[in-house]
Amino acid sequence: MDFSKLHIPFPHSIYEESPKPEVLILIFGAILTLLITIYFTLLNNDDERPVSFSIPLPEQCKPGWKGEVLDDPKIKISGSSAIQCYCPANGRLLGLVNATTADGIDRAILKAQAAQVAWAKTTFSQRRKVLRTVLKYVLENQDLIATIACLDSGKTKVDACLGEILVTAERLKWTLEHGERALKPERRPTNFLMMYKHNEVRWEPLGVVAACLSGERASAGRNSDPSAKCIHQFHNVMCPVISTLFAGSAIVIKASEQTAWSLAPIVSIARNALSACGHSPNLVQPIVCWPPTADHLTSHPSIAHITFIGSRPVAHAVCKSAARSLTPVCVELGGKDPAIILDDVTTCKSLHKIASILLRGVFISAGQNCVGIERIIALSKTYISLIPILESRIRSLRPGSTLDDEGEVDVGAMISSASFDRLERLVADAVNQGAKCLVGGSRYLHPKHPMGHYFSPTLLVDVTSQMRIAQEEAFAPICVLMRANSVDHAIEIANSAPYALGASVFGAEKVDVEKIVKGVKAGMVSVNDFAAYYVVQLPFGGVGGSGYGRFAGEEGLRGLCNAKSICQDRWPGVNTQIPARFDYPIRNAGKAWEFCSGLVQLGYATGWQRVEGLQKLISNN
């Protein structure tokens, strides 16, 4: 999953002209660097200083590495249960990964359980030290992390930086700065009758949780999967690890078999950081297994919580399996996110800037982004003006392998070619119903990388809500443009799809913008931006066909905890005494009833009714 910040935000609006933006960038960067330096110098606890460590450099990440180009790239190989890993951008073999068995899952959970006992007793300061250590490594090894991501997913290094490294660094930073406040015991109000009580909620570790990162739409793996969800391995692995560790629990990470190769080096970052800080690396347990074996994990009675990222069909199986042990599941299933473009004067003048954001939202990670922009819904005036802007820029996009063709690539490969037939049918179906395909529309045979999985950057205009491509998640580099006649019509179009994850709205008229924010069915909305809610760690998740539950932010962190409610005496010696009137055995049922009804009246009525309640208590005492 990919959550990308698309441009550096400035104090000025995107609608205003900004002279010499490079000067503003330098000033902003200098001030920010100074503030960060002062913060870490003056406020950081010496006991929380990060520790340096290293991980073995994968052979595939060394300069000059050239793996064997497979004749028929696929993850299943005849006569073996091992997973064949290859780079989707060029078809080069990365290696074989042994699939975890049911016994292996049991052993991983036992190791995590044993390590979690001591970890649950650690302080927030000790947990922050581990996260600071991870952050230090991430900042110092961005090129290595991006290379690992590119090899296993086929994305570009820029996309890996924005969609994996930046958002993971933000999760680390947010947790370091706000995590303790989110998990500190929280005071809750009392009432008149219970004024002598002190109420609070404590957020306690769950034990061992799981994160299941699935790409399958069918059980046969990558080659039958029309839209693999988990191509963002570094982010999708590290973020559950970050939150789980800070919450005091241990985690079993089940990666998709489609990105199995990168799991080991990514998880080794967290495990080595734990070891460097004096804690057990067994708190983080990586596994990769074929779909039939995954049921053993999702139904395991020792798993206290599951975060699932994947498709709706697989989610049904996961939730059914988890129900056997009554394990709660946070479900993120992707979306058909709309970006609504209004047509006020200011917005019409800013279409080139807005187009840059739209293109990044559509084509980042070759469109394989659960909160990617899948539908651009523009009002009439902006619709006409957007078409030539988008057509020119999409036609110039260059697909390729970022590690082989550095400097010549805009859009990376797709994780699999299995969706290409479906995508071509969606485009053809739309054209047959009146849409126009102005750019692309079919798979792309790369001249340098014929074994890579490429789909041509595509622009489809005049799309209507009745077309399948407006209803089904494409998860591909396809820009869909739809026309709306009014603000209400735009909202109607946006809400016509079964998904409801994220949304964007671009406009300068506050009334219209707010109407869309309120009217669109979504779990998250960015105004004059794309996916900005995640880069500031607001709770992430959707409704309807996009799943339920939240991760990120306070809500996500607390969701990985047992919310324990505690009600205790406020003052010594002042505590609950059962009144004689309804103390067992009850001697006079009539007076007991009058006493109880008077008690309720005293506690919850107003004015003279409360006085009458007090009179009942006195007369029936």
Side-chain angles (χ1 to χ4, degrees):
M1 182 176 40
D2 191 343
F3 313 93
S4 310
K5 187 61 179 165
L6 308 175
H7 64 286
I8 299 176
F10 295 103
H12 59 272
S13 165
I14 65 169
Y15 299 112
E16 297 172 0
E17 291 299 324
S18 175
K20 299 181 179 179
E22 63 277 5
V23 175
L24 290 176
I25 293 174
L26 289 173
I27 294 173
F28 178 79
I31 294 173
L32 183 62
T33 301
L34 178 62
L35 291 174
I36 291 174
T37 302
I38 293 173
Y39 173 81
F40 278 103
T41 302
L42 300 180
L43 300 183
N44 274 5
N45 188 328
D46 286 348
D47 293 337
E48 295 183 14
R49 285 185 179 176
V51 180
S52 295
F53 69 92
S54 61
I55 65 170
L57 182 66
E59 185 69 26
Q60 298 86 341
C61 296
K62 293 179 180 177
W65 175 83
K66 296 290 182 182
E68 171 194 357
V69 177
L70 298 172
D71 293 331
D72 181 21
K74 58 184 179 181
I75 60 173
K76 279 196 170 183
I77 49 179
S78 178
S80 174
S81 62
I83 300 165
Q84 180 173 253
C85 306
Y86 64 93
C87 177
N90 52 33
R92 295 188 184 277
L93 177 66
L94 295 172
L96 301 180
V97 172
N98 290 323
T100 309
T101 63
D103 287 341
I105 291 173
D106 289 338
R107 289 191 295 271
I109 293 173
L110 286 174
K111 289 179 182 178
Q113 283 179 320
Q116 193 269 338
V117 174
W119 181 250
K121 300 174 183 176
T122 55
T123 65
F124 287 125
S125 179
Q126 289 173 304
R127 297 173 195 175
R128 275 195 296 268
K129 181 170 184 174
V130 173
L131 298 193
R132 292 193 198 283
T133 298
V134 172
L135 179 57
K136 180 177 187 291
Y137 183 88
V138 169
L139 295 176
E140 293 174 353
N141 293 274
Q142 292 188 62
D143 188 73
L144 171 60
I145 293 168
T147 299
I148 291 171
C150 294
L151 284 169
D152 214 15
S153 70
K155 66 180 58 176
T156 69
K157 290 183 77 172
V158 170
D159 289 352
C161 184
L162 292 175
E164 306 234 40
I165 298 172
L166 183 150
V167 287
T168 301
E170 169 59 25
R171 175 68 68 88
L172 284 161
K173 195 72 164 55
W174 184 93
T175 308
L176 288 168
E177 293 180 355
H178 307 290
E180 181 174 359
R181 177 185 55 78
L183 297 186
K184 274 190 170 182
E186 186 175 89
R187 181 83 174 269
R188 294 295 175 89
T190 189
N191 58 48
F192 179 74
L193 295 180
M194 302 293 282
M195 66 175 68
Y196 61 97
K197 292 294 186 180
H198 172 89
N199 308 318
E200 68 178 21
V201 177
R202 297 179 188 174
W203 311 97
E204 297 185 345
L206 284 174
V208 179
V209 303
C212 296
L213 316 177
S214 169
E216 311 92 32
R217 294 278 190 184
S219 61
R222 178 186 271 177
N223 285 34
S224 63
D225 178 11
S227 64
K229 307 295 280 184
C230 292
I231 68 164
H232 314 298
Q233 183 86 314
F234 179 71
H235 166 267
N236 284 348
V237 168
M238 289 302 296
C239 285
V241 168
I242 292 163
S243 297
T244 298
L245 290 179
F246 197 80
S249 291
I251 187 168
V252 177
I253 292 276
K254 180 216 164 288
S256 169
E257 56 271 29
Q258 300 163 34
T259 48
W261 173 79
S262 60
L263 180 63
I266 291 171
V267 166
S268 69
I269 297 173
R271 289 171 62 90
N272 278 277
L274 285 162
S275 295
C277 295
H279 304 288
S280 173
N282 287 333
L283 287 161
V284 182
Q285 294 291 323
I287 64 169
V288 185
C289 61
W290 294 107
T293 310
D295 179 73
H296 188 73
L297 173 66
T298 52
S299 64
H300 204 290
S302 295
I303 296 296
H305 181 279
I306 297 172
T307 298
F308 174 78
I309 301 174
S311 66
R312 292 175 70 178
V314 179
H316 291 155
V318 169
C319 292
K320 181 178 179 180
S321 174
R324 296 207 296 271
S325 53
L326 298 178
T327 304
V329 186
C330 175
V331 179
E332 194 279 288
L333 305 179
K336 192 70 183 173
D337 289 13
I340 298 174
I341 320 299
L342 300 180
D343 61 356
D344 54 81
V345 174
T346 309
T347 300
C348 288
K349 290 180 179 179
S350 306
L351 285 182
H352 284 278
K353 292 181 179 179
I354 293 172
S356 292
I357 299 176
L358 296 176
L359 289 170
R360 177 56 67 177
V362 171
F363 292 103
I364 191 166
S365 295
Q368 300 164 108
N369 177 3
C370 63
V371 289
I373 297 174
E374 293 245 345
R375 297 173 294 162
I376 299 173
I377 304 167
L379 270 63
S380 295
K381 286 188 286 187
T382 48
Y383 183 88
I384 296 298
S385 300
L386 268 175
I387 291 176
I389 297 173
L390 294 175
E391 181 179 4
S392 172
R393 295 183 65 174
I394 293 173
R395 197 175 294 280
S396 66
L397 295 179
R398 301 162 297 177
S401 171
T402 189
L403 299 179
D404 298 306
D405 314 316
E406 192 169 358
E408 302 175 9
V409 177
D410 300 300
V411 181
M414 294 188 67
I415 194 73
S416 167
S417 61
S419 64
F420 290 176
D421 287 343
R422 181 182 69 91
L423 293 173
E424 289 174 345
R425 286 196 299 270
L426 288 175
V427 172
D429 174 74
V431 171
N432 289 337
Q433 294 185 62
K436 298 182 182 67
C437 184
L438 301 184
V439 184
S442 62
R443 67 195 74 197
Y444 174 66
L445 182 63
H446 200 288
K448 291 184 180 179
H449 314 294
M451 293 297 106
H453 304 316
Y454 294 97
F455 197 87
S456 299
T458 297
L459 174 60
L460 201 60
V461 304
D462 294 346
V463 174
T464 65
S465 297
Q466 290 71 38
M467 299 174 185
R468 285 178 56 208
I469 200 164
Q471 298 295 314
E472 299 179 19
E473 185 181 27
F475 214 64
I478 299 177
C479 181
V480 170
L481 190 58
M482 307 175 74
R483 186 199 299 260
N485 300 323
S486 65
V487 172
D488 287 333
H489 188 213
I491 295 172
E492 179 185 340
I493 295 172
N495 292 341
S496 65
Y499 297 95
L501 188 58
S504 299
V505 54
F506 294 83
E509 295 294 332
K510 291 185 178 180
V511 173
D512 289 340
V513 168
E514 184 60 25
K515 185 174 185 178
I516 291 171
V517 169
K518 288 183 177 181
V520 70
K521 293 178 182 177
M524 306 160 291
V525 180
S526 285
V527 176
N528 292 322
D529 213 329
F530 156 69
Y533 40 75
Y534 194 68
V535 187
V536 293
Q537 289 297 293
L538 289 174
F540 183 95
V543 294
S546 292
Y548 52 84
R550 297 292 184 268
F551 50 81
E554 268 190 21
E555 292 79 359
L557 191 56
R558 289 177 170 182
L560 291 170
C561 298
N562 171 36
K564 181 178 284 185
S565 301
I566 301 168
C567 181
Q568 55 188 320
D569 294 333
R570 186 189 301 269
W571 304 291
V574 181
N575 48 42
T576 299
Q577 301 289 328
I578 300 297
R581 277 299 173 199
F582 52 83
D583 194 11
Y584 291 119
I586 297 175
R587 292 180 291 277
N588 187 323
K591 285 189 173 291
W593 162 252
E594 290 296 326
F595 187 92
C596 288
S597 64
L599 186 66
V600 172
Q601 201 168 334
L602 175 65
Y604 301 102
T606 58
W608 282 105
Q609 283 187 320
R610 174 169 282 188
V611 176
E612 290 174 2
L614 179 59
Q615 288 175 341
K616 280 187 180 181
L617 291 179
I618 295 172
S619 61
N620 290 281
N621 189 21

